[in-house]
Amino acid sequence: MRRPRPAGFGLSVAPAGFDGRPASLAAVIERFVVDLDLTDVVLVAQDWGGPIGLRVAELLPERFAGTVLGNTWAWPVTGHRHFERFSTLMGGPVGGWLIRRANRFVNVMIPAGHRRRSVGSAEMRHYRAALATPERRQASAVLPREIVHSAPFLADVASCLHLLRDRPALLLWADRDIAFRRTELDRWRRELPDATVVEIPGAGHFLQSDAPVEFADALRAWHRTAFATRQASPESTD
């Protein structure tokens, strides 16, 4: 079996020449799903994981049973000042330098993405250890620029969202996110009109870390209900 190539996030090491762009990351995940012959997958994704994971689900719809989305988006945002300002600042030369040399995403964005609680020193040490060198931070330096520059990829994802409307979906939404607002939640309600929506009041951008109990409880309750028939034993369905 051909092993999926690592992509440069977490503790993985990107292969030489890997550009780290969303379309390339989606290709890595697609190979991962196919090579491991995964089926009945429930995609759980947030931030860039949304459009990247959704692209894979659109390309391999027969392998995905449902969708769970935290604060994210999946359409071009060119012309939207809220997103373009961040993309230009953090995706430009100065932002890239700050990410690679000063580990800005860990030292600034991780604390800023938590509103309910403060991130502990042990957690911060873990995040810093995973991105301990400028080379290891390259992947996180690419994606801010791509918020605008990957508009064609995002347009492709948006054009195929209808392929996922026939399967269960859950929207878990933090209402104090600095990135994704009610504007994006309203768009998701239109894109996935039958989705269950659970809002987590007071939570920040990293909602699965900021409100882990509510996040897990909501996901568990939705999964139990959405897949009740599939989970029922043969005796219980007679």
Side-chain angles (χ1 to χ4, degrees):
M1 180 180 68
R2 180 165 51 92
R3 290 178 66 86
R5 300 178 73 189
F9 282 90
L11 299 178
S12 67
V13 178
F18 186 74
D19 62 18
R21 300 185 70 189
S24 302
L25 292 166
V28 171
I29 302 302
E30 181 186 3
R31 289 198 303 271
F32 177 84
V33 172
V34 171
D35 287 353
L36 296 184
D37 194 24
L38 301 181
T39 58
D40 288 331
V41 176
V42 175
L43 172 69
V44 181
Q46 180 254 354
D47 201 300
W48 263 117
I52 291 169
L54 287 165
R55 187 55 181 158
V56 178
E58 293 168 351
L59 293 171
L60 305 171
E62 72 283 357
R63 295 180 179 270
F64 285 78
T67 307
V68 179
L69 299 175
N71 291 45
T72 187
W73 89 117
W75 44 82
V77 291
T78 307
H80 293 258
R81 187 166 180 261
H82 173 73
F83 291 102
E84 284 198 335
R85 183 170 50 190
F86 177 83
S87 183
T88 300
L89 175 63
M90 295 305 296
V94 174
W97 187 92
L98 289 170
I99 291 170
R100 285 187 293 269
R101 296 296 173 180
N103 209 1
R104 185 175 178 84
F105 253 117
V106 168
N107 292 324
V108 176
M109 301 307 292
I110 295 294
H114 291 74
R115 296 300 185 92
R116 281 190 171 191
R117 69 179 187 90
S118 297
V119 184
S121 57
E123 292 174 274
M124 291 301 295
R125 283 197 299 271
H126 172 81
Y127 284 117
R128 292 186 183 111
L131 299 175
T133 66
E135 292 74 23
R136 293 202 53 75
R137 298 169 198 151
Q138 176 60 26
S140 55
V142 170
L143 290 180
R145 179 193 67 209
E146 296 304 313
I147 294 170
V148 170
H149 285 263
S150 277
F153 168 80
L154 291 164
D156 286 343
V157 177
S159 70
C160 294
L161 286 174
H162 66 278
L163 297 175
L164 307 178
R165 289 177 183 166
D166 64 345
R167 60 210 65 200
L170 170 65
L171 300 173
L172 281 168
W173 208 261
D175 69 356
R176 293 194 65 199
D177 188 0
I178 57 177
F180 301 105
R181 310 150 298 172
R182 184 160 296 275
T183 300
E184 285 71 52
L185 176 58
D186 290 342
R187 171 75 181 260
W188 278 119
R189 290 180 188 270
R190 298 193 297 272
E191 295 289 353
L192 301 174
D194 295 326
T196 299
V197 180
V198 176
E199 297 190 55
I200 303 180
H205 180 67
F206 299 109
L207 70 165
Q208 62 273 65
S209 173
D210 203 19
V213 174
E214 290 94 327
F215 187 94
D217 285 350
L219 196 160
R220 187 180 297 112
W222 167 82
H223 191 275
R224 187 182 300 120
T225 300
F227 298 96
T229 302
R230 187 178 303 183
Q231 294 169 346
S233 65
E235 292 77 15
S236 67
T237 58
D238 288 340

